Amino acid sequence: MPDSSTQDISYEVVHYHTEMPFKILNVHKKDLYKNKDLSTVNDVLDHWHNELEIVYSYSNDGIYYTDGIPHPMERDLFIIVNSRSIHKVISNRTTPYDDMPETLTTVLQISDSFLRSFIPNFEDLYFLPVFKTNEERPAQIMKDLARYADGKALNKYENMRLIGLVHELLYYICRDDLTLKDMEMPKKDRKNADILRKIISYTEDNYRLDINEMSAAQHFGYSASYFSRFFRSNMGITYKEFLTRMRINSAKDALTGSSKSVLEIAMDCGFSDARGLINMFNKYEGITPLQYRKKYARAT
């Protein structure tokens, strides 16, 4: 059986802004430090996700932790967060607000299924947390990607440019930063990560069906109580909440990318009826599904 622990760690479901298999976002100082007050910053606490995360820093502010190892942020530094690695970001709160650049970091999160499609033996490989290069091109690629951050609408054919930039960046990182996972990850962490990956994959394949914590536990041959403890200790949330978040994210895509009714979307995403989707959407998003559609709908 997998090891369980009491770490307070949360799982992040990454919601993509577009149909691309990656997400780009910029972290701006005005969003972190309200009214220029350094004491108001909310640190990003321990969490993990399936995506590979590439962080490019424009400042010396903060410390990035990956699997418990601190990496002080530096200007032009790349931090690589492996799929399912536990990480957090702590501000040093010492750099004066006016001395910080407007954008602190650009973050690129790439779907692990996208990576597995063209990197042989991806599950056996590990990206070193600090990517060091003497070449200027990787930094320029991140700056180019930053222009498309936060779901910026794409002009005709720009999707091809974006895909090309991501592939080019991955070329540099794979060439210079990959090593074997067995050389970097403790055996216990690999075992738990492998089991969690299977649970997540099972949920991704079946969340539209009538599954729950009990049926998932039975599928993997665990008692409901053990499965519940293991999942929560490694994910920081219950399996029920994880499943609900996955269903809501799927509903978001349908709301913004289709003209289906709320009932149709609810049934497609694993909810028993429209009311179930509306209640959970209100709980996690603070608005109704139709309000979300009106605010974020894409042209279809």
Side-chain angles (χ1 to χ4, degrees), residues 9-253:
I9 300 164
S10 64
Y11 173 74
E12 176 187 358
V13 178
V14 175
H15 181 62
Y16 299 100
H17 294 302
T18 70
E19 291 80 6
M20 296 291 186
F22 49 81
K23 177 180 178 179
I24 309 164
L25 59 111
N26 290 325
V27 178
H28 303 289
K29 67 177 182 180
K30 65 181 177 63
D31 297 325
L32 285 184
Y33 303 99
K34 304 301 181 184
N35 300 318
K36 301 185 179 182
D37 184 354
L38 299 187
S39 67
T40 63
V41 65
N42 290 319
D43 293 324
V44 180
L45 301 182
D46 280 331
H47 68 289
W48 66 281
H49 42 68
N50 282 333
E51 286 71 16
L52 176 74
E53 183 167 294
I54 302 172
V55 181
Y56 179 72
S57 177
Y58 301 97
S59 76
N60 300 322
D61 182 69
I63 301 175
Y64 226 97
Y65 288 80
T66 60
D67 293 318
I69 300 173
H71 307 286
M73 301 299 285
E74 301 174 10
R75 183 180 175 84
D76 297 322
L77 180 71
F78 280 88
I79 298 292
I80 311 296
V81 181
N82 284 272
S83 172
R84 294 178 289 277
S85 281
I86 298 166
H87 55 289
K88 64 181 177 181
V89 188
I90 305 297
S91 172
N92 59 25
R93 296 178 174 83
T94 57
T95 305
Y97 181 89
D98 291 335
D99 291 346
M100 298 179 192
E102 294 300 320
T103 301
L104 301 177
T105 59
T106 293
V107 181
L108 173 65
Q109 295 174 320
I110 307 174
S111 163
D112 65 334
S113 59
F114 173 72
L115 293 166
R116 284 198 300 269
S117 68
F118 65 89
I119 299 179
N121 305 317
F122 176 72
E123 293 297 332
D124 299 324
L125 300 175
Y126 186 85
F127 292 91
L128 298 175
V130 178
F131 170 52
K132 298 179 179 179
T133 178
N134 294 322
E135 299 186 57
E136 297 179 359
R137 182 58 183 159
Q140 185 57 54
I141 293 172
M142 287 299 286
K143 292 173 184 176
D144 289 343
L145 289 172
R147 295 170 49 209
Y148 298 95
D150 308 316
K152 175 182 176 292
L154 300 179
N155 295 325
K156 190 175 183 180
Y157 305 130
E158 281 189 309
N159 60 329
M160 290 187 285
R161 180 169 190 259
L162 270 179
I163 287 285
L165 288 170
V166 171
H167 273 281
E168 186 181 2
L169 179 63
L170 285 171
Y171 160 73
Y172 287 105
I173 294 175
C174 290
R175 184 191 68 182
D176 299 336
D177 201 57
L178 269 179
T179 185
L180 289 174
K181 187 178 292 185
D182 286 347
M183 298 173 62
E184 296 292 332
M185 291 185 68
K187 185 175 181 180
K188 172 188 170 183
D189 292 344
R190 291 200 307 273
K191 182 179 180 181
N192 282 1
D194 287 343
I195 294 170
L196 286 169
R197 176 176 53 80
K198 292 176 182 177
I199 294 173
I200 292 168
S201 179
Y202 165 82
T203 308
E204 289 174 337
D205 291 341
N206 295 282
Y207 72 89
R208 299 176 187 275
L209 306 177
D210 184 22
I211 64 169
N212 53 35
E213 184 174 82
M214 177 68 75
S215 61
Q218 291 175 345
H219 177 82
F220 289 98
Y222 301 131
S223 68
S225 60
Y226 182 86
F227 181 88
S228 177
R229 289 196 307 273
F230 170 76
F231 193 88
R232 182 160 190 157
S233 67
N234 283 277
M235 300 284 275
I237 59 174
T238 65
Y239 183 78
K240 179 180 179 181
E241 183 178 354
F242 171 73
L243 176 60
T244 300
R245 287 182 178 182
M246 185 171 290
R247 286 169 169 164
I248 288 174
N249 276 334
S250 179
K252 285 180 179 179
D253 287 336

